Amino acid sequence: MYIGPDTLMPVASALAAIAGVVLMFWRRAAAAVKLSAQVLAQKFGKR
């Protein structure tokens, strides 16, 4: 199975774009996950 540059370059470009967006908003996404974990721990931990 041969994957040429004409097939591989758009895939690599899309993966790079996704990685770039994740890196741009990493702190916000990590903070949101941490906050939701704390809320769930408070909600279910006191029972």
Side-chain angles (χ1 to χ4, degrees):
M1 187 167 111
Y2 174 72
I3 299 176
D6 54 332
T7 305
L8 191 60
M9 288 307 290
V11 174
S13 179
L15 290 176
I18 292 169
V21 170
V22 167
L23 289 174
M24 281 175 33
F25 297 108
W26 178 253
R27 288 188 184 192
R28 234 179 248 186
V33 169
K34 185 177 179 181
L35 179 66
S36 62
Q38 287 175 351
V39 167
L40 287 174
Q42 287 177 353
K43 186 174 266 191
F44 293 113
K46 293 188 177 185
R47 290 184 180 187

